[in-house]
Structure formats: structure tokens, C-alpha cells
Amino acid sequence: MNAKTPGLSKQDARTEAERLIREAMEKKKLAVTKGDTRIEAKCGKCGAPNRVVATKGERRVEFKCKECGQQQMSL
Ligand SMILES: [Zn+2]
């Protein structure tokens, strides 16, 4: 066996694979934290639809109606 074989050894290949997996997981994590939910909230006062962005895990979002300015919570 030639110890000076150019290119990736078995150890290097494994390290490279692990690095790629880790990178993919990091990206996934980022995508999840960035996964804000868009809620179509209807104004309780004038009935106008409002697009509200909720952070992941958040269920009730405070928003101000774009039509009448009513401050309220989405359901
Ligand atoms: Zn309104």
C-alpha cells in the first residue's frame, strides 16, 4: 500500500462526510428557525384580512389592523 496516495484517505473521506452532514443539519436548523408562519387574521372590528407573521411556536400574535388600526390578538 502506498502511504503517500494523493486524494482522500478513508479517514479523510469519513471526516468529509461528517462535515457535510453537519453542514446540512445546520442549514436545516436555520430553515426551521426561519420558518415563520404567515397567518391570515381577520380584524375583529372591521373584518379586513391582515397578514400577520408569527414566529414558530407562537400561537397568538398581536397585530394592528391595516384598515382601521385596531390593536388586537390573532386567534
Ligand atoms: Zn380593522
Side-chain angles (χ1 to χ4, degrees):
M1 289 278 255
N2 188 355
K4 282 184 177 174
T5 307
L8 296 177
S9 69
K10 256 185 189 166
Q11 179 60 44
D12 283 343
R14 197 186 305 161
T15 311
E16 177 71 3
E18 277 171 6
R19 190 179 64 82
L20 288 175
I21 289 167
R22 202 162 25 230
E23 260 178 29
M25 280 167 79
E26 294 284 320
K27 259 183 219 159
K28 219 176 193 175
K29 219 189 286 171
L30 261 168
V32 167
T33 44
K34 273 186 181 171
D36 292 343
T37 323
R38 251 166 263 268
I39 301 171
E40 196 82 28
K42 203 172 184 180
C43 174
K45 194 177 175 188
C46 71
N50 284 267
R51 192 145 292 177
V52 187
V53 178
T55 330
K56 191 161 172 69
E58 210 172 3
R59 299 176 85 187
R60 304 193 74 196
V61 189
E62 202 175 330
F63 74 99
K64 197 174 181 182
C65 176
K66 64 171 161 59
E67 291 297 325
C68 67
Q70 174 78 13
Q71 194 85 27
Q72 59 202 288
M73 295 284 274
S74 72
L75 294 176

